[in-house]
Amino acid sequence: MSDNVTLTIDGVQVTVPKGTLIVEAAKQIENEIPVFCYHGKMDPVGMCRMCLVEVGQPAIDRGTGKPELDEDGNPVVRFFPKPMTACTTTVSEGMVVKVDTSEAAVDDRKAVLEFLLTSHPLDCPVCDKGGECPLQDLTIRHGPGNSRFDYEDKQHFPKRYPLGDLIVLDMERCIICARCVRFQQEIAFDPVLAIENRGRRAHIVSYSKPGFDSHYSGNTTDVCPVGALTTRDFRFGARAWEMTNVPSLCNHCGVGCNTVLGTRAGTIRRIMPRQNEAVNELWICDKGRFGHHFNGSPDRLTTPLIRKGEELVEATWDEALSLIGEKFGAIKSANGADSLGGIAGARLTNEDLYVFQKLFREIIGTNNIDHRVGLSAALEDETAFTVGVGVGTDLGSVGKGTTILNIGADLDQDAPILYLRVAGASVKRGAHVINAGGRRTKLDAQVQTTLRYNYGSAARLALGLLASVVSQGLVAKEWADSRTSGMADLEKALKNFGADKVAEATGLTTNAIDAAAKAFAEAENGIIIFGLEAGNDPALRAALEALALATGHAGKPNNGVIAVLPHANSRGAIDMGILPDRLPGYKPVESNAGLSAVEMLTAGGVKGLLIAAADPAVESESYKQALQQLDFLVVQELFLTETAQMADVVLPAKGNAERDGSYTNLERRVQTFDMGVPAPGKAWADWLIFTGIAGQLGADWAYASADGVMAEITQRVPLYAGMDFKNLTAPISLQRKTEHYIYEGMSFTTDIREGIQWATVAESDSAPKIPLRFIEPAKASSQEQGLTLVAPRMLYDGGRLLAEADVVNAHILEPQLMLSRSDAQKLGVSTGDSVTVSQNGTAITVPVYIERTVSEGVALLPRNLAGRPAEKLVGPNGLYSTVKVEKS
Amino acid sequence: MANPLLKEHVLLRHRDIEDIHKIDVYLAHDGYRALEKGLKEMTPDDVTNVVKASGLRGRGGAGFPTGVKWGFIPKNLNPKYVVVNADESEPGTFKDREIMESNPHQFIEGVILCAYAVGAETCYIYGRGEFWTLFHGRMQEAIDEAYEKGFLGKNIFDTDFSCDMYLHLGAGAYICGEETALLNSLEGLMGQPRSRPPFPAVAGLYAKPTVVNNVETLANVTPIVLHGADWYRQFGTEKSPGTKICSLSGRVNRPGNYEVPLGTPIRYLIEELGGGIIDGKAVKAILPAGASSSNMGADKIDTPMDYESMAAAGGMLGSASFIILDETINAVWAAEKNVKFFKHESCGKCSPCREGTFWLTSVYRKLREGYGTKQDVELIETIINQMEGNCFCLLGEFVVPGVRTSLELFRNEYESLASEENEVDQPQKDLIHTFF
């Protein structure tokens, strides 16, 4: 039997795979069956009854078991007595569906619309959804022209009910399709919405504390087919048809979600997801949706500033650039090129970063460049070059047969959309997810295996898993022999990491380690994800790389390693060689490696520094002192940050909505974004500023645009050979069509720019054998008495860009020490009391919060919060340390 | 309370035997002998086959052959569940309550036999919230007694068969009598129906094969297994064998439960058993299956009460809860009461039922209060046409027949309430004003 079935819809034949729903089959022949509750990403429920169609099946003669034929020899079709919902009925061979050709079905749909409109307020003229509203559009297409319902009898509900502080509910507009409730349950795994009461009094409620407590709440406003759910920052912001929609990318984390900027009169009115099944499907997180307000902030830098004594005074670009050229030139001739250095943040684009490193390496002549400050310093990754996930990896499609090993990443906080995809792979599609971490995270509830290891033992766990793979005989021999070298040495080194030793170090059982190793090694596809909380540990990365290689989970789609790097273009910063010891394309610097960011930020490190898109002054007091001792400091920024206030020259840069460029996401996918709004004042794109500085130092670069820079990257960086703006910026139409938003919700689903991934070493059959690396993990920290202070990253942190979004202010954490109940009891403190946390003479005072997800012996103090208290204790690049906590 | 049509009651045996709710009395009258016979002498398939052969049909309303339903349960998927629908909430139905209150062991025995037949080891009895005293009193006592005597628990009658039974109370929702909504409610979810397929027989409670039967249906299983299919077929008609408890209410002199062989004419129920209409008035309409039934006119009073004849006469036997209206009752008032009931009980999941019942209620209210128009009468007709066949589950569909037949039979009463004058007096509504 073939796996396809052929059916007839309104007289048109269509062949689709078995199990397809009628509504999806009809979509293929552009027969739009109207729907409200149906959504392609959620399980069908058939509750709105909008998609009623007449369905018939060929009659089978009971005696012969053959189809009955009429006089002309055509099969007899028997129609079901009742109309069927096209969104819940699967197709079958020979089925006949009548959508528009059946008068009864047309009447039924008209009836359903009249019912839905009986208690709808019909306030389209003031409704945010007006113009892109499925209810409005479908009423015009299928509905009755007038209502016989007596207006006086309408059921009334509150018109402005805040479900949480981001989402406002207008219950009168709601048609109870439950898409929002189902999104939260099935896709976000945050079941914080529900329908309460029954019949006409049914309404949407959220009983979580705080209300609608989810990082994905904004998506419910997209899937809502009416104007019932609106976001607080777009309510009454603009009419849909008045906005210009521009394809963009989110710049808040490394996932690289595709977005659309809804702009009007030079300002961003809203941000919505843009479909890219390989990256973010149809979703974005609330940080991405609400965190765009920095673009239009009145505090933005609009003109270059030059220090005159204590003051920073406005200057022209000519003045600023020639001053930089003069000072840098003088420092270079007096003290040599290596007395200059540059730090560039990882939210700059590939084009910016490429020009940045070219400026330092080719024009100034030093390798003193780095991107590793702040969060970027807390997690490094070089494994992507060899064993990064294969080209074509799609976490949105992996399921049964795939094992995902997540070590030390709290995905819901670090990379929210990745969380949706990993949790979905586990819950919806049956992938085996092993969540290893030092504390309970949200992903634990959605996975099959949880490994809770002691902080600091992640590298040992990884080596233990590898040793267990070897001892259980699960090495993918053929692949490992032909593609890797050094297996014998590795096996020898692993002798010290037998299950019992690792069990002792990690606090896990030997059975748990063996079972996890087996599950990973035996899976058809294996993906390793690691993050901040595993520690910035070369031994861990070597072990994970070897684990992927030894099990053969490398070099093909849906296999390999993903590092959850913190910034939008952290991957690109490494690719572009913003490292003192590595050139673009992971080529090591031969002899004269430069200074790292930490070294440059040490007193006496360099004399002149260019800092772009980074704010080291807030990270640490010692950085600040080092910056004060510089001869000359140039800062290139969006805002007058603490570092910028110390600068000799401040240069205003464009935000990502104000320019074009490309980012490389944590799966090595290069994607581009377009310019949406004009920049404030005289701000320039960062690559242009670097080009200007280079010009002052004697270069004659002729970059006219970001794609000009990318054209050079494709020639000079082999990894990026396949990428240029031409194939990255496929023409994209953001025209809003009804057929898109009735099925998928409000996300833009017309055209998709998928982006391009660069291939890893493991994917190239001609590449030399990859050496299996082994690095001895550092000795376990000394047996200091006290709690382990861990500084994880939170989604809503104290970052400068997010601070501009008033709407999420309430979500930004105040510094607080999260303790387990038992530790709090031992200290005699409860939530709200303040404690003194000290380590090596540094002490801070913070309030306590008793948090049930924290295990005993661990205290959490998120990093990147106001005043950077956590960084004071664990160091600006650290993640955890042993501290003493006392009641104060 | 003698019943001239039956020598002995089959289901309401407590009317013949005093204190049969006590296990000793029940044991003295063939109690749990059917279970012993089933477990020791019959295979599970034998039990299913005898039920099939008896022609027993579901007594909850749909009338689906019980043995056939059990046959749908796949053999190789475990665990399986037996769920008893004791959410007796159809207005005018009170038969299951009497069985559970007064003859509980016959019912419990039937449940265990059903579990044995389908291979389930866990049974849940889902009762309506109002059965609190019953479920915390006599039903629980009866189950405890059965456990004590070893009819429930491990290795019943020293066979390999073990069975546990649990009582569960709903929270007072009519929709939870719909089997998939009942299963949702039992799982702790919101009481809303599930879409079918999959049917409960394949994926029911906790997505496992589940047989859902009514209390009265399972109470019938005990005598069928004990006495055999042929004995059972002596009652009733060829296609509707057995006896049926009819809940009689409305304008009759002696309302109550009456057990009669299927095929007994309605007239016998009303006039002989129910003692006729109060004050000797004339029958106006018969609602044979509670609020969800069609109105049968007085001319249908001689219809035999079996599934086929009732359907042929334009009604349905359903759960056989006969509500009798006499000539003193206004048809619009009666129909409105039912519509209001459905509006109150609509779960809100699907649009036609949620909005349709709400809309109907307001049109009915308008008519009854005397400011309806002729168009409103037609509107009622179009609303039910728009609901019919379009609802998610049967709750919405059940609104239709009552209203439709009420309109058909008593349209003059509707029209006499509607006034021409109202049409003129209706003020034009200022819609723009009402937006703000």
Side-chain angles (χ1 to χ4, degrees):
Chain A
M1 272 284 285
S2 108
D3 285 338
N4 285 335
V5 294
T6 302
L7 68 157
T8 312
I9 302 174
D10 279 351
V12 182
Q13 276 208 341
V14 59
T15 305
V16 290
K18 238 185 208 165
T20 306
L21 298 168
I22 293 177
V23 62
E24 291 290 340
K27 242 200 288 191
Q28 297 196 1
I29 49 168
E30 292 179 358
N31 190 332
E32 288 165 27
I33 301 177
V35 297
F36 290 116
C37 68
Y38 175 72
H39 189 286
K41 296 274 179 198
M42 304 178 204
D43 294 339
V45 286
M47 56 198 271
C48 76
R49 317 306 286 176
M50 190 59 212
C51 61
L52 291 170
V53 291
E54 250 192 279
V55 177
Q57 276 175 327
I60 304 290
D61 189 306
R62 288 211 173 166
T64 61
K66 289 199 177 123
E68 281 178 40
L69 301 177
D70 64 12
E71 289 145 11
D72 302 331
N74 296 320
V76 176
V77 174
R78 286 227 176 91
F79 281 88
F80 287 101
K82 283 190 192 179
M84 310 281 277
T85 43
C87 75
T88 58
T89 313
T90 49
V91 297
S92 61
E93 188 61 44
M95 184 183 261
V96 175
V97 179
K98 289 185 179 179
V99 185
D100 297 322
T101 47
S102 155
E103 212 173 298
V106 169
D107 285 348
D108 286 337
R109 292 196 294 271
K110 191 189 257 184
V112 169
L113 268 170
E114 185 173 18
F115 282 136
L116 287 174
L117 292 173
T118 52
S119 286
H120 189 81
L122 298 171
D123 54 353
C124 307
V126 296
C127 177
D128 282 325
K129 209 74 164 189
E132 50 182 21
C133 173
L135 182 62
Q136 198 179 38
D137 287 28
L138 295 179
T139 301
I140 291 165
R141 286 188 192 180
H142 304 278
N146 56 2
S147 176
R148 293 167 291 178
F149 189 79
D150 190 341
Y151 190 84
E152 300 288 303
D153 292 333
K154 271 186 198 284
Q155 173 91 20
H156 290 290
F157 284 106
K159 291 287 283 180
R160 286 172 295 278
Y161 181 78
L163 280 178
D165 55 5
L166 298 174
I167 307 295
V168 182
L169 168 68
D170 182 337
M171 192 57 217
E172 294 201 341
R173 292 178 187 156
C174 178
I175 57 168
I176 315 190
C177 68
R179 269 186 181 180
C180 52
V181 177
R182 287 150 56 215
F183 171 84
Q184 288 299 129
Q185 236 158 36
E186 295 175 25
I187 293 173
F189 304 104
D190 272 334
V192 294
L193 292 188
I195 293 177
E196 190 177 82
N197 219 319
R198 66 183 183 215
R200 190 51 256 186
R201 283 166 305 165
H203 58 274
I204 309 291
V205 290
S206 174
Y207 281 135
S208 65
K209 275 197 176 139
F212 209 162
D213 186 17
S214 173
H215 290 159
Y216 313 94
S217 62
N219 294 306
T220 59
T221 65
D222 295 342
V223 296
C224 181
V226 293
L229 293 173
T230 46
T231 59
R232 229 192 64 200
D233 73 337
F234 180 64
R235 266 170 82 78
F236 310 118
R239 303 318 311 253
W241 58 89
E242 292 175 337
M243 281 186 287
T244 307
N245 296 308
V246 183
S248 189
L249 292 175
C250 180
N251 67 336
H252 285 291
C253 80
V255 175
C257 292
N258 293 206
T259 59
V260 168
L261 308 177
T263 69
R264 178 158 189 257
T267 55
I268 299 173
R269 297 303 168 95
R270 66 175 177 189
I271 291 206
M272 299 184 91
R274 174 163 56 89
Q275 186 175 26
N276 188 342
E277 288 301 311
V279 179
N280 57 315
E281 301 173 25
L282 295 166
W283 322 117
I284 53 172
C285 72
D286 288 352
K287 189 181 188 181
R289 188 181 299 263
F290 298 108
H292 65 83
H293 292 274
F294 66 89
N295 281 298
S297 164
D299 297 334
R300 282 282 299 277
L301 291 168
T302 54
T303 172
L305 304 171
I306 291 179
R307 180 165 301 279
K308 297 263 162 76
E310 287 297 293
E311 298 267 298
L312 282 166
V313 296
E314 294 192 0
T316 65
W317 277 103
D318 276 349
E319 288 163 1
L321 290 176
S322 58
L323 179 64
I324 295 167
E326 187 188 312
K327 289 282 186 180
F328 273 14
I331 292 172
K332 184 179 167 183
S333 49
N335 303 296
D338 287 336
S339 58
L340 290 172
I343 295 172
R347 68 170 163 77
L348 296 184
T349 66
N350 290 322
E351 293 77 12
D352 301 333
L353 295 167
Y354 175 79
V355 177
F356 174 81
Q357 64 88 29
K358 193 177 171 190
L359 163 68
F360 276 88
R361 290 196 164 118
E362 293 182 15
I363 305 301
I364 295 173
T366 178
N367 280 315
N368 289 346
I369 56 168
D370 207 345
H371 71 283
R372 294 168 301 175
V373 283
L375 274 169
S376 291
L379 183 66
E380 292 175 64
D381 174 49
E382 70 284 353
T383 62
F385 181 60
T386 46
V387 295
V389 282
V391 173
T393 294
D394 181 6
L395 283 170
S397 70
V398 296
K400 264 204 165 45
T402 301
T403 297
I404 301 173
L405 169 64
N406 175 42
I407 296 191
D410 181 358
L411 293 179
D412 181 50
Q413 304 280 356
D414 294 344
I417 296 301
L418 203 55
Y419 169 79
L420 295 192
R421 287 159 68 79
V422 171
S426 168
V427 176
K428 292 193 111 172
R429 296 185 294 278
H432 185 157
V433 178
I434 302 166
N435 192 29
R439 63 186 168 97
R440 191 159 106 190
T441 59
K442 233 174 82 177
L443 189 60
D444 284 346
Q446 330 298 346
V447 303
Q448 292 84 343
T449 309
T450 303
L451 301 178
R452 190 77 38 83
Y453 59 77
N454 298 329
Y455 272 100
S457 67
R460 284 188 163 70
L461 171 62
L463 286 164
L465 290 171
L466 185 54
S468 174
V469 167
V470 171
S471 68
Q472 294 185 69
L474 297 171
V475 171
K477 209 102 185 57
E478 204 175 309
W479 200 88
D481 282 350
S482 67
R483 301 299 313 279
T484 65
S485 62
M487 182 55 100
D489 290 343
L490 178 69
E491 282 183 17
K492 217 153 87 200
L494 288 174
K495 290 254 150 55
N496 293 327
F497 295 92
D500 42 345
K501 275 189 192 159
V502 171
E504 199 192 319
T506 56
L508 293 162
T509 63
T510 55
N511 283 346
I513 294 169
D514 286 340
K518 192 167 186 288
F520 183 75
E522 287 188 339
E524 192 184 325
N525 297 313
I527 298 172
I528 300 172
I529 299 173
F530 72 97
L532 214 55
E533 287 176 57
N536 194 6
D537 186 349
L540 169 77
R541 299 197 292 273
L544 294 178
E545 187 181 85
L547 180 60
L549 289 169
T551 52
H553 292 317
K556 49 186 178 177
N558 299 330
N559 284 276
V561 181
I562 299 173
V564 186
L565 298 170
H567 291 300
N569 202 25
S570 292
R571 185 85 265 152
I574 303 167
D575 292 357
M576 291 300 126
I578 312 302
L579 288 163
D581 55 355
R582 230 180 286 142
L583 303 173
Y586 297 80
K587 245 183 254 154
V589 169
E590 296 287 319
S591 55
N592 53 335
L595 301 175
S596 70
V598 176
E599 288 162 339
M600 287 186 262
L601 291 167
T602 309
V606 288
K607 294 200 181 299
L609 196 54
L610 169 62
I611 297 179
D615 190 9
V618 296
E619 304 285 339
S620 144
E621 203 55 38
S622 75
Y623 289 175
K624 206 168 176 176
Q625 284 162 9
L627 290 171
Q628 274 162 352
Q629 292 180 21
L630 289 171
D631 287 353
F632 193 64
L633 172 62
V634 181
V635 173
Q636 197 170 306
E637 254 301 350
L638 301 175
F639 294 97
L640 197 63
T641 58
E642 218 166 301
T643 310
Q645 287 168 25
M646 302 169 68
D648 297 292
V649 178
V650 179
L651 303 172
K654 283 185 176 180
N656 74 328
E658 296 149 7
R659 44 165 300 182
D660 55 358
S662 69
Y663 289 148
T664 306
N665 84 350
L666 41 75
E667 294 173 310
R668 307 185 323 284
R669 186 179 297 275
V670 183
Q671 308 184 95
T672 56
F673 55 89
D674 293 359
M675 183 191 127
V677 289
K682 297 183 216 156
W684 285 9
D686 292 271
W687 61 266
L688 186 61
I689 303 177
F690 298 137
T691 308
I693 296 173
Q696 293 294 328
L697 294 168
D700 57 345
W701 298 342
Y703 304 125
S705 61
D707 47 340
V709 179
M710 186 46 102
E712 183 173 318
I713 297 175
T714 59
Q715 285 159 17
R716 307 244 320 239
V717 184
L719 290 178
Y720 280 61
M723 295 157 206
D724 61 44
F725 263 58
K726 275 202 201 72
N727 53 24
L728 287 175
T729 34
I732 191 161
S733 152
L734 294 178
Q735 196 193 346
R736 191 56 78 71
K737 290 186 187 153
T738 314
E739 66 255 39
H740 301 126
Y741 57 75
I742 63 170
Y743 293 117
E744 310 287 0
M746 297 302 299
S747 315
F748 286 79
T749 54
T750 38
D751 283 341
I752 295 169
R753 279 184 193 166
E754 281 214 322
I756 302 171
Q757 280 173 291
W758 52 264
T760 59
V761 175
E763 279 167 280
S764 156
D765 290 332
S766 58
K769 287 188 173 186
I770 307 166
L772 293 166
R773 297 190 293 144
F774 170 79
I775 299 174
E776 185 75 32
K779 287 266 171 296
S781 58
S782 56
Q783 297 300 310
E784 280 176 63
Q785 290 295 307
L787 292 167
T788 306
L789 180 82
V790 182
R793 183 200 189 184
M794 294 291 156
L795 187 66
Y796 297 115
D797 61 11
R800 184 68 180 88
L801 301 188
L802 195 59
E804 293 293 327
D806 293 341
V807 68
V808 295
N809 263 348
H811 295 259
I812 295 174
L813 282 178
E814 293 295 319
Q816 55 188 6
L817 190 75
M818 296 180 221
L819 286 176
S820 66
R821 186 166 294 283
S822 54
D823 283 328
Q825 271 164 359
K826 272 184 227 155
L827 292 164
V829 292
S830 52
T831 295
D833 293 353
S834 65
V835 289
T836 305
V837 189
S838 59
Q839 189 237 13
N840 285 346
T842 314
I844 56 153
T845 303
V846 282
V848 163
Y849 182 84
I850 295 174
E851 168 68 48
R852 66 197 173 92
T853 62
V854 178
S855 28
E856 203 179 333
V858 174
L860 293 189
L861 179 54
R863 67 191 305 121
N864 227 19
L865 299 185
R868 302 291 193 276
E871 283 87 334
K872 286 199 175 97
L873 296 165
V874 301
N877 304 345
L879 182 88
Y880 41 80
S881 77
T882 308
V883 294
K884 222 167 120 186
V885 181
E886 286 161 315
K887 192 172 176 179
S888 60
Chain B
M1 224 187 296
N3 185 338
L5 291 183
L6 290 172
K7 261 199 302 213
E8 279 183 327
H9 285 89
V10 177
L11 303 167
L12 303 176
R13 288 179 75 201
H14 57 281
R15 295 196 179 178
D16 304 324
I17 303 157
E18 209 177 328
D19 283 344
I20 199 168
H21 67 272
K22 293 181 179 157
I23 197 156
D24 296 330
V25 179
Y26 184 62
L27 285 172
H29 293 86
D30 294 344
Y32 289 102
R33 275 193 44 221
L35 182 64
E36 188 173 8
K37 181 180 171 195
L39 261 53
K40 286 186 169 167
E41 298 166 23
M42 297 164 82
T43 66
D45 283 346
D46 291 343
V47 177
T48 305
N49 287 337
V50 71
V51 173
K52 260 185 206 167
S54 74
L56 174 64
R57 297 173 64 168
R59 301 292 195 236
F64 193 81
T66 306
V68 177
K69 193 183 214 175
W70 294 2
F72 289 152
I73 301 288
K75 294 238 182 304
N76 47 359
L77 287 173
N78 281 306
K80 304 179 182 63
Y81 295 102
V82 171
V83 173
V84 184
N85 186 345
D87 189 84
E88 185 177 43
S89 34
E90 184 67 47
T93 311
F94 36 83
K95 62 190 175 60
D96 296 342
R97 178 185 181 138
E98 184 168 347
I99 294 172
M100 290 189 290
E101 268 178 351
S102 306
N103 191 11
H105 285 292
Q106 179 175 342
F107 160 56
I108 290 169
E109 194 177 352
V111 180
I112 305 170
L113 279 165
C114 171
Y116 176 69
V118 300
E121 296 199 333
T122 312
C123 311
Y124 293 97
I125 301 173
Y126 182 97
R128 62 182 291 172
E130 291 83 348
F131 284 170
W132 202 92
T133 29
L134 172 59
F135 271 38
H136 284 81
R138 195 161 278 179
M139 266 309 289
Q140 190 59 54
E141 283 161 21
I143 289 175
D144 292 346
E145 283 174 336
Y147 266 107
E148 262 170 46
K149 299 275 182 189
F151 302 133
L152 278 169
K154 295 262 172 261
N155 302 99
I156 301 164
F157 287 116
D158 295 325
T159 62
D160 288 342
F161 179 67
S162 306
C163 185
D164 284 307
M165 193 176 290
Y166 304 94
L167 295 175
H168 184 93
L169 280 171
Y174 175 72
I175 186 64
C176 291
E178 200 279 345
E179 60 180 1
T180 57
L182 185 154
L183 295 175
N184 266 357
S185 173
L186 196 52
E187 286 183 23
L189 303 170
M190 196 169 183
Q192 290 191 334
R194 302 175 181 172
S195 65
R196 277 172 283 200
F199 289 89
V202 182
L205 188 64
Y206 305 115
K208 299 291 178 208
T210 304
V211 67
V212 185
N213 275 134
N214 175 260
V215 173
E216 188 187 350
T217 314
L218 293 176
N220 271 301
V221 169
T222 309
I224 290 172
V225 172
L226 186 62
H227 302 298
D230 290 338
W231 172 85
Y232 189 72
R233 279 186 173 278
Q234 67 173 301
F235 307 105
T237 67
E238 171 63 28
K239 285 191 171 163
S240 304
T243 63
K244 176 87 189 80
I245 305 174
C246 300
S247 303
L248 181 65
S249 62
R251 304 282 295 166
V252 290
N253 280 318
R254 281 201 304 273
N257 284 324
Y258 297 98
E259 183 177 346
V260 294
L262 283 162
T264 308
I266 303 175
R267 184 187 293 280
Y268 187 83
L269 178 71
I270 297 174
E271 291 181 0
E272 301 299 323
L273 300 173
I277 306 295
I278 296 175
D279 298 336
K281 300 273 188 200
V283 172
K284 176 172 184 172
I286 300 158
L287 276 65
S292 49
S293 54
S294 349
N295 291 262
M296 294 170 80
D299 55 325
K300 301 282 166 60
I301 196 163
D302 289 314
T303 311
M305 291 187 285
D306 60 69
Y307 294 98
E308 292 72 28
S309 312
M310 291 294 282
M316 64 177 206
L317 186 60
S319 56
S321 39
F322 287 83
I323 302 174
I324 312 301
L325 309 184
D326 71 6
E327 54 193 335
T328 64
I329 305 289
N330 180 290
V332 181
W333 175 86
E336 188 199 0
K337 272 190 95 70
N338 282 350
V339 166
K340 267 162 98 173
F341 170 78
F342 285 114
K343 177 212 152 202
H344 184 257
E345 295 295 346
S346 169
C347 79
K349 181 165 184 167
C350 76
S351 329
C353 173
R354 178 182 69 234
E355 309 289 349
T357 53
F358 180 73
W359 193 357
L360 275 178
T361 317
S362 73
V363 181
Y364 263 105
R365 195 197 62 233
K366 220 185 286 180
L367 267 181
R368 178 175 49 78
E369 289 179 357
Y371 55 94
T373 64
K374 287 240 166 58
Q375 279 90 329
D376 285 331
V377 181
E378 279 155 30
L379 185 56
I380 290 175
E381 209 167 357
T382 44
I383 295 173
I384 55 168
N385 284 342
Q386 292 185 179
M387 290 175 71
E388 190 171 24
N390 295 351
C391 298
F392 188 93
C393 75
L394 286 176
L395 190 153
E397 304 292 336
F398 280 159
V399 182
V400 178
V403 174
R404 188 185 299 291
T405 49
S406 170
L407 260 175
E408 272 168 16
L409 293 173
F410 311 110
R411 194 168 184 110
N412 55 342
E413 288 182 41
Y414 282 76
E415 287 180 351
S416 70
L417 282 169
S419 155
E420 301 278 344
E421 280 167 39
N422 289 337
E423 285 164 45
V424 185
D425 286 351
Q426 285 274 332
Q428 284 293 313
K429 296 221 171 63
D430 184 352
L431 282 178
I432 297 191
H433 165 76
T434 50
F435 280 142
F436 300 99

